[in-house]
Amino acid sequence: MTDTSTDQDIPPTLEVVEQSNGKLFVKLTGSWNLRRLVTATELNRKISSYAANQNIQWDLNAIEVLDSASALILWKAWGRKLPAALQMKPEHQRLFERWQAQEIPEHEPSRYSSSLIVKYGYQLFSNFWGQLLQLVTLLGQLVLDIGYLLLHPGSIPWSEISITIYESGVRALGITALVGFLIGIVLSYLSALQLKIFGAEIYIIDILGLSVIRELGPLLAAILVAGRSGSSMTAQIGIMRVTEELDALSAMGISHSLRLILPKVMALTIVLPLIGVWTSSMALIGGMFSAQTTLDISYQQFFLKLPDAVPLVNLFIGLLKSAVFGLMIALIACHFGFRIKPNTESLGNETTNSVVAAITVVIMVDAVFAILFMDVGMP
């Protein structure tokens, strides 16, 4: 395959000699290997120009080293056939015979057409439709499990539900409180700058109350839980796939949906409205603190006017939205968890897809609620 000569540092050379009969004679010397030819661009150009002349004789006897790549370059320059007048060493002859016995496919440049775009769009649609059907199937199985548990209350997985409530709810109180408090300060401060211009400082209570209780509180809590707990649920199921725990559960006759999906869905549906109320409360406290600092609105005045500025139905809308958010986050997390293949790359990809899909669905559902309850709960 490759010449084993030790003279591999001799640069390759090409010498053209004109014979007495007027014919050209090309003599190659030195080490003809890929490392040398990559940098010898002028030498490659000369090979191509001389190879076009069918009357030129080639002498390769003086070549010290010839590897397969260099032989391929010469063979392709000769038009994939050996010249009529060619002299070379026997060991080099075997290299060219090898390339003659093989069929080298031609490289065709990729062509972009409308059919490729249509095919790519069809694949995206098919993938989306397939995942949607899987999600609906998951939801249907969840309904069947709830019906089974209503008839068999002793089979309710209380321990799994309890630990999920603790992991997704109690341990999320700190981050949701911090984010809610900071968002309340920012919203109150920016609103105060505009309200001062019109002398309507007191309406900051209305702005904070409606925006936080109805929209920002549940939405912030859902996004934080989707990024924190949703990814954790997906990774947990994925690790069970990698370690073959899911196969072990199936072998023991334990339902995946009853022991893995249902506890997570029920726990998030219960705990997310509570987290939403907690986040809204911290946001209102932050906004109240900022309003007292920037607009000199006392805490007592804020508390007294808040019930009049925000009708009670807004609280129920926020609780309903949070419950739906929790249901969707848990379903999506479990859906992508069961899509994970037993390898680490799939684990990372599907966990990322789970978080992105959950946050996207939360925002879409929030938009639907905003449209459906447009005229409900306004003062």
Side-chain angles (χ1 to χ4, degrees):
M1 181 179 296
T2 304
D3 199 320
T4 57
S5 175
T6 57
D7 301 327
Q8 296 186 5
D9 292 327
I10 303 175
T13 58
L14 184 149
E15 183 181 359
V16 181
V17 181
E18 185 175 357
Q19 296 179 336
S20 58
N21 56 5
K23 292 185 177 182
L24 296 178
F25 185 79
V26 179
K27 184 177 182 181
L28 306 183
T29 60
S31 299
W32 287 72
N33 51 41
L34 185 60
R35 181 173 62 88
R36 288 288 187 178
L37 291 182
V38 166
T39 57
T41 56
E42 183 66 21
L43 191 61
N44 292 326
R45 188 188 63 80
K46 289 182 179 180
I47 292 174
S48 300
S49 62
Y50 290 124
N53 191 345
Q54 301 295 330
N55 298 322
I56 293 182
Q57 299 180 2
W58 294 77
D59 183 9
L60 280 59
N61 287 321
I63 292 181
E64 299 292 341
V65 176
L66 181 67
D67 62 5
S68 299
S70 301
L72 176 61
I73 292 174
L74 290 171
W75 183 65
K76 293 181 69 175
W78 292 334
R80 300 189 178 186
K81 61 181 180 180
L82 298 179
L86 176 62
Q87 302 176 17
M88 70 177 76
K89 297 178 181 180
E91 59 268 25
H92 296 163
Q93 177 73 27
R94 290 193 295 268
L95 293 176
F96 291 103
E97 291 175 354
R98 176 176 300 168
W99 289 120
Q100 282 182 308
Q102 294 182 2
E103 181 178 354
I104 303 176
E106 292 288 345
H107 174 70
E108 295 183 1
S110 57
R111 299 177 181 178
Y112 297 94
S113 61
S114 57
S115 61
L116 293 178
I117 299 176
V118 172
K119 183 178 180 181
Y120 180 72
Y122 177 76
Q123 289 178 348
L124 287 179
F125 177 77
S126 300
N127 186 33
F128 171 77
W129 183 252
Q131 292 198 39
L132 184 62
L133 289 179
Q134 292 176 9
L135 199 61
V136 172
T137 303
L138 202 65
L139 184 60
Q141 182 61 46
L142 186 65
V143 173
L144 294 178
D145 290 337
I146 292 176
Y148 172 79
L149 292 179
L150 291 177
L151 298 177
H152 305 83
S155 300
I156 298 177
W158 293 111
S159 58
E160 289 87 348
I161 296 174
S162 176
I163 190 62
T164 306
I165 289 176
Y166 174 77
E167 292 291 338
S168 303
V170 177
R171 297 189 62 178
L173 292 178
I175 185 64
T176 53
L178 177 62
V179 173
F181 184 80
L182 295 178
I183 289 295
I185 291 178
V186 172
L187 183 62
S188 177
Y189 179 74
L190 293 178
S191 301
L193 296 178
Q194 300 299 319
L195 293 175
K196 280 184 178 180
I197 300 176
F198 303 100
E201 293 87 347
I202 193 62
Y203 288 103
I204 194 173
I205 302 175
D206 301 67
I207 295 174
L208 285 174
L210 282 175
S211 60
V212 169
I213 295 176
R214 187 184 177 106
E215 293 292 337
L216 284 181
L219 188 61
L220 281 175
I223 291 176
L224 290 174
V225 169
R228 181 186 177 278
S229 303
S231 60
S232 175
M233 292 177 181
T234 304
Q236 180 185 11
I237 297 176
I239 291 296
M240 295 180 70
R241 172 78 70 187
V242 173
T243 57
E244 299 182 353
E245 292 181 54
L246 294 179
D247 298 334
L249 291 177
S250 299
M252 291 186 293
I254 299 176
S255 172
H256 292 170
S257 61
L258 193 61
R259 288 295 173 180
L260 296 177
I261 301 175
L262 182 66
K264 293 177 174 56
V265 172
M266 291 187 64
L268 274 191
T269 305
I270 294 171
V271 80
L272 199 54
L274 303 177
I275 293 293
V277 172
W278 168 256
T279 306
S280 300
S281 302
M282 298 307 299
L284 289 176
I285 291 174
M288 183 172 55
F289 173 78
S290 180
Q292 198 277 334
T293 305
T294 57
L295 299 177
D296 199 23
I297 296 177
S298 64
Y299 301 140
Q300 183 180 4
Q301 185 179 7
F302 196 99
F303 274 117
L304 290 176
K305 193 173 186 314
L306 184 61
D308 299 330
V310 184
L312 186 61
V313 68
N314 290 280
L315 177 61
F316 296 129
I317 292 175
L319 292 174
L320 178 61
K321 288 166 61 174
S322 296
V324 176
F325 291 161
L327 172 68
M328 297 307 299
I329 291 171
L331 279 177
I332 292 172
C334 295
H335 165 69
F336 282 98
F338 283 103
R339 283 173 54 88
I340 293 176
K341 298 178 177 60
N343 59 74
T344 54
E345 182 180 0
S346 177
L347 176 63
N349 291 337
E350 297 300 337
T351 302
T352 303
N353 293 336
S354 171
V355 174
V356 173
I359 294 176
T360 303
V361 169
V362 163
I363 296 175
M364 292 173 61
V365 172
D366 184 70
V368 172
F369 269 92
I371 295 172
L372 292 179
F373 297 95
M374 184 185 305
D375 299 325
V376 179
M378 293 299 173

